[in-house]
Amino acid sequence: MTTCSCHHPSRRRALGLAALAALSAGGLLAACGDQAAQQAAIAPVEIDRGTSCELDGMLLADYPGPKAQVHYAGQDRPSFFCDTVEFFNVLLAGEQVRAVRAAYVQDMGQAQWDAPQGHWIDAKGAFYVVGSKRHGSMGPTIASFAQRADADKFAGEYGGKVLAFAEVKPDMVDLSGGALHDTRM
């Protein structure tokens, strides 16, 4: 009996980084020997009052700040995240071995911070502000923008550093203690 090498602990981090690289390159990650296929055009799905977070079950519509969604291969509906820190934490995790077909975040240059709806943009082409004073559902968050000028303006007003998708690193998206910042739990 042969075991797929992608389930070996030493391969998990490499596959997680490969999933992120495949998303950055606009391709589809094929794990365990499958061939890579081209990313299909997948439209973002709008959240509603019942849309919950993949990680903690929180209702996205109840919280401020940018949201995210990931469309995985073999999954009909996207996985939603109530915060971009959770989104990046999952994508950058060494355990991430699911094939990512598309990922979207909200353009906070267009969406209202306190009740963001719509304005979904391709996550890999967005600009991110890390370290601002603005909070999302889990406390400090990473603001996402379609335009560099909007990200620069936000950073000028609320602090933080503007980064491209590939510049966001695992140590920037630590989830430990996130609940300590949530005053609604």
Side-chain angles (χ1 to χ4, degrees), residues 119-170:
H119 304 288
W120 294 102
I121 55 174
D122 185 353
K124 70 180 179 290
F127 296 95
Y128 298 92
V129 179
V130 177
S132 81
K133 294 181 262 184
R134 293 298 307 256
H135 284 198
S137 66
M138 299 303 287
T141 193
I142 300 174
S144 48
F145 298 90
Q147 303 297 320
R148 173 72 191 231
D150 290 338
D152 288 336
K153 180 180 175 187
F154 181 89
E157 188 171 344
Y158 299 105
K161 181 178 179 179
V162 178
L163 301 173
F165 181 83
E167 295 174 306
V168 179
K169 303 298 179 202

Side-chain angles (χ1 to χ4, degrees), residues 15-178:
L15 284 170
L17 294 174
L20 185 60
L23 178 60
S24 295
L28 170 68
L29 171 68
C32 295
D34 294 345
Q35 298 223 346
Q38 230 175 36
Q39 177 181 359
I42 299 170
V45 175
E46 189 52 61
I47 63 173
D48 60 31
R49 293 292 310 155
T51 305
S52 63
C53 179
E54 163 105 343
L55 295 183
D56 54 28
M58 292 171 59
L59 296 176
L60 275 64
D62 289 349
Y63 296 92
K67 314 297 183 242
Q69 59 183 276
V70 177
H71 297 254
Y72 292 107
Q75 192 171 300
D76 293 337
R77 302 250 328 134
S79 292
F80 287 96
F81 298 91
C82 59
D83 193 281
T84 49
V85 173
E86 291 178 334
F87 162 74
F88 274 109
N89 183 274
V90 167
L91 284 184
L92 297 175
E95 298 82 23
Q96 169 63 290
V97 294
R98 294 189 285 177
V100 176
R101 295 179 60 211
Y104 297 98
V105 292
Q106 290 178 301
D107 178 7
M108 299 313 290
Q110 301 295 316
Q112 293 179 6
W113 190 271
D114 291 329
Q117 284 289 314
H119 304 288
W120 294 102
I121 55 174
D122 185 353
K124 70 180 179 290
F127 296 95
Y128 298 92
V129 179
V130 177
S132 81
K133 294 181 262 184
R134 293 298 307 256
H135 284 198
S137 66
M138 299 303 287
T141 193
I142 300 174
S144 48
F145 298 90
Q147 303 297 320
R148 173 72 191 231
D150 290 338
D152 288 336
K153 180 180 175 187
F154 181 89
E157 188 171 344
Y158 299 105
K161 181 178 179 179
V162 178
L163 301 173
F165 181 83
E167 295 174 306
V168 179
K169 303 298 179 202
D171 63 339
M172 298 174 184
V173 294
D174 181 16
L175 293 179
S176 62

